[in-house]
Amino acid sequence: MSSDGTQDSPFRHERTARDEAPQFVLPLVVRIERNEPPARTDALESAARAVLVLLSDERSFGDGEWAQAVRDWQDARIRKVVRRARGAEWRRAEALPGITVTGKSAEVRVFPPVPLDGWPKDLARLQVSGTDLDDPEPPADVDAATPVLWLSPGLDMSAGKAMAQAGHGAQLAWWELTQEDRTAWREAGFPLAVRTAGAERWDGLTTSGLPLVRDAGFTEIAPGSCTVVADHPALRLDRPRTH
């Protein structure tokens, strides 16, 4: 798969061979307590980091217990669905096999992929809607050494949808990196930022050769919409790369 989302990309809206495979989904659950909701940007960053933590977990490859589910999921469309939980709902979700990633204010739990119509009952009953979140203050500026998942400035996405898209961008970046760069990113704790690009910058990002997510259009936005550009320093074209 190329970094610009063409060829047999799991994010193309056109029907491809991936649609003929059994379809799986990666569940993510964000903890949203009524009186203490997380900040939006922190939730997006925690979701992206959760995807990376799962992909790099030893249970997700080789003979790991989640490896077959991850392979089946990656052979089909790459779907991620974000649901919300609080109180007892969150405690039940935490009891299921998965990994919780904690940000400054956000907690996101990622689970191994499940069949599209085969969610565990304690996750299936959780709501998708209601994940609208706000930032109490504008996100800080990001230095050039930090990987950034740039969101399109022209799309209005719920926090849940944006969390899934940030996860897609992180996954594309992970696939494009060399093993050496993957190891360095993982050992550093997967530092990253999610920011909305300025309109004047977005066009340049989408034609930069960096990994680009084109949404398949299952929810909220039109098929083929460019949602995220994954700007990892190791993937910039002005940096010498060896594979």
Side-chain angles (χ1 to χ4, degrees):
M1 180 181 60
S2 69
S3 61
D4 66 357
T6 58
Q7 298 177 14
D8 187 22
S9 168
F11 305 113
R12 284 179 63 179
H13 63 285
E14 302 93 343
R15 192 168 184 84
T16 73
R18 290 178 178 274
D19 293 289
E20 307 307 319
Q23 299 297 302
F24 285 72
V25 62
L26 186 79
L28 295 123
V29 175
V30 56
R31 183 178 185 180
I32 303 181
E33 298 292 345
R34 185 175 284 108
N35 297 324
E36 294 182 289
R40 178 186 173 96
T41 295
D42 192 38
L44 268 59
E45 292 172 351
S46 297
R49 196 171 293 114
V51 171
L52 294 167
V53 168
L54 180 127
L55 290 172
S56 63
D57 191 282
E58 62 183 9
R59 290 168 287 184
S60 295
F61 50 84
D63 295 325
E65 61 185 289
W66 301 342
Q68 187 60 56
V70 170
R71 284 192 292 268
D72 289 342
W73 169 61
Q74 293 190 131
D75 285 344
R77 290 285 187 174
I78 304 298
R79 300 181 189 227
K80 301 179 181 72
V81 172
V82 177
R83 299 183 181 233
R84 61 181 172 86
R86 64 171 179 256
E89 296 172 330
W90 175 255
R91 291 190 292 274
R92 285 193 293 268
E94 277 196 307
L96 297 174
I99 304 169
T100 297
V101 170
T102 303
K104 295 176 182 177
S105 62
E107 290 180 77
V108 176
R109 189 163 179 84
V110 61
F111 304 86
V114 298
L116 193 58
D117 57 356
W119 284 65
K121 64 179 182 179
D122 283 332
L123 299 184
R125 61 171 55 127
L126 299 177
Q127 296 295 311
V128 177
S129 61
T131 54
D132 291 324
L133 300 169
D134 298 310
D135 282 315
E137 54 190 47
D141 292 338
V142 182
D143 65 66
T146 300
V148 182
L149 303 170
W150 293 104
L151 300 178
S152 167
L155 296 174
D156 184 17
M157 295 184 282
S158 68
K161 179 69 173 181
M163 288 169 70
Q165 297 300 305
H168 292 339
Q171 187 166 3
L172 284 185
W174 179 255
W175 283 346
E176 289 285 317
L177 289 170
T178 65
Q179 189 58 52
E180 180 182 2
D181 288 327
R182 287 183 181 183
T183 299
W185 201 12
R186 182 180 65 248
E187 290 181 349
F190 292 119
L192 58 84
V194 178
R195 297 291 186 271
T196 299
E200 70 288 348
R201 184 174 191 174
W202 181 244
D203 286 345
L205 285 167
T206 60
T207 58
S208 64
L210 290 166
L212 170 65
V213 178
R214 294 183 185 272
D215 191 61
F218 294 119
T219 60
E220 291 195 25
I221 58 178
S225 299
C226 299
T227 59
V228 179
V229 173
D231 182 11
H232 191 293
L235 299 178
R236 293 172 188 157
L237 296 182
D238 59 356
R239 179 184 185 273
R241 296 172 60 194
T242 57
H243 284 273

